[in-house]
Amino acid sequence: MKQKPYLSLEDVKRIAAAAEAEALAHQWAVTIAIVDDGGHLLWLQRLDGAPAVSAQIAPAKAHTAALGRRESKVYEDIINQGRVSFLSAPGLSGLLEGGVPVLVDGHCIGAVGVSGVKSSEDAQIARAGIAALV
């Protein structure tokens, strides 16, 4: 039987703390969501001042990155390049930059989604969180 790594609660807390530190270092009010490999929510943290809608968008970005096993920006780019029919992809709603998969030994074990500032800054925060696992 094959085995694969998974996100432990300790891992999730480490990712969340590093992502929060990155956001606070830049005074960015965001929501941070962490999901498992099936896109199921493990962590949701809305920093003071983060827009209410970010609590819906961040988990959607994370879900999309986990299921697709790639950054959610890939889907945003596909749509922006004219393939708008991709908007009808079943089960995917976070088709904006800011969702980043957590990849370990070739396995996608989850994802981090961030929302509240520019999409590139959201992704920067997510990547900073994931970097804490290394």
Side-chain angles (χ1 to χ4, degrees):
M1 179 178 291
K2 293 184 179 185
Q3 297 180 8
K4 68 176 186 173
Y6 68 93
L7 286 173
S8 69
L9 180 57
E10 181 181 322
D11 296 333
V12 170
K13 288 179 178 179
R14 191 175 324 137
I15 291 169
E20 177 184 7
E22 180 72 12
L24 294 176
H26 297 282
Q27 298 180 344
W28 292 334
V30 298
T31 295
I32 301 161
I34 304 171
V35 301
D36 66 12
D37 60 339
H40 303 97
L41 190 61
L42 299 172
W43 186 274
L44 182 69
Q45 181 176 2
R46 185 172 158 206
L47 300 182
D48 292 342
V53 71
S54 67
Q56 297 292 318
I57 296 171
K61 289 178 177 183
H63 181 264
T64 294
L67 292 183
R69 294 170 163 57
R70 63 185 72 183
E71 291 201 24
S72 55
K73 183 181 186 323
V74 169
Y75 303 109
E76 180 179 8
D77 291 344
I78 288 169
I79 294 162
N80 286 341
Q81 291 169 4
R83 191 169 176 204
V84 294
S85 62
F86 201 85
L87 289 167
S88 66
L92 300 180
S93 60
L95 303 173
L96 303 164
E97 183 177 9
V100 180
V102 180
L103 303 172
V104 175
D105 298 330
H107 298 279
C108 178
I109 63 169
V112 179
V114 179
S115 178
V117 287
K118 293 179 186 174
S119 290
S120 60
E121 295 165 347
D122 290 341
Q124 176 182 329
I125 296 165
R127 286 189 201 100
I130 295 166
L133 284 182
V134 179

